[in-house]
Amino acid sequence: GAATGLSTSQLDGATDVLVVAGLFDSVAGIASSNLAIWTGKRWFAWPEGEGGVDSSGIIWDIATFDGSIYVAGSFAEVGSSNAPGTSTNGLARWDPSVLEWEAIHQGLEIDDDFFEVRSLFVTSGGLDLYCAGRIVDLDAGCSFGECFGAVYKLNNSGTEWIRVGGQFDDAVQDVYVIDAKANGRRVVAAGLFLFDDNAEENAGLAWFDTAATPNPRWVPFHCDEEAPGAYNDILPLNPAALDVDEVAVAGPRSFDG
């Protein structure tokens, strides 16, 4: 199997543990479907009776936000392997206070037959949660006919996702938020896309400009007509300072701007 995400959480409300997510059916010989817990001394399966995600899916990212654990991926169900789980299209929340999963995709424009939430991001100070991926309904309608990717922010009540700006013509592989003191908040999207639904040529890398007129919109970091966008990760140059207006990107192509 493979691990794709890590998050520190307090499953019992008191003790910090490391939650590992990915695509696996066991860890250190212990059966555990795509989720496992490391205490610092030994591995444990996910809490007894609650299982992980369905075996056909993968968890691409995991985050702890507002006391709950969020998982994102291409799975259709979360819950016990011995009983029917909670149906969810690639996004679910674990509430440690009641030891239950719940679907948390209200507001996402999801195609039931094709979905993949690739990235979660918690902003500095744990104030907001964002998600991104290939999660837009193919019938949602765009200026270029089909939409495949978008970025969303969870609303303040934690009940619904609100789309950030327009949609993209292919998947958003990662989202990153810079709360820079000088320039304000910048939401950065990286992925396989070339255009957004404003016909803006983004070539795989864009940031959301809330001050743009007449409407806020995605703005390209650069344009490259000769190669498709193909960025997979956005990384902070200084992981300890999320308010620094500098990031690096990674993927199978070069970046010069």
Side-chain angles (χ1 to χ4, degrees), residues 64-80:
T64 299
F65 176 71
D66 198 24
S68 296
I69 295 174
Y70 289 74
V71 291
S74 58
F75 52 87
E77 189 175 277
V78 292
S80 173

Side-chain angles (χ1 to χ4, degrees), residues 43-161:
W43 288 100
F44 287 90
W46 197 248
E48 183 66 27
E50 299 300 333
V53 307
D54 63 282
S55 58
S56 63
I58 182 173
I59 299 178
W60 282 112
D61 207 355
I62 182 171
T64 299
F65 176 71
D66 198 24
S68 296
I69 295 174
Y70 289 74
V71 291
S74 58
F75 52 87
E77 189 175 277
V78 292
S80 173
S81 58
N82 300 316
T86 299
S87 296
T88 177
N89 285 3
L91 197 57
R93 175 170 58 200
W94 169 263
D95 186 343
S97 66
V98 294
L99 300 180
E100 290 183 354
W101 286 106
E102 66 173 320
I104 184 64
H105 51 72
Q106 181 68 29
L108 296 184
E109 300 151 304
I110 290 178
D111 186 281
D112 289 338
D113 297 321
F114 189 73
F115 56 88
E116 188 176 54
V117 185
R118 290 297 302 253
S119 176
L120 296 168
F121 187 87
V122 179
T123 60
S124 179
L127 298 179
D128 295 303
L129 178 65
Y130 288 77
C131 77
R134 186 182 277 114
I135 48 183
V136 174
D137 192 326
L138 301 186
D139 297 322
C142 293
S143 59
F144 43 75
E146 293 181 337
C147 298
F148 298 91
V151 175
Y152 290 83
K153 176 186 172 184
L154 190 65
N155 67 0
N156 291 335
S157 62
T159 58
E160 185 174 2
W161 296 93

Side-chain angles (χ1 to χ4, degrees), residues 243-256:
D243 61 347
V244 176
D245 199 1
E246 295 179 316
V247 295
V249 293
R253 59 177 291 183
S254 62
F255 172 61
D256 56 7

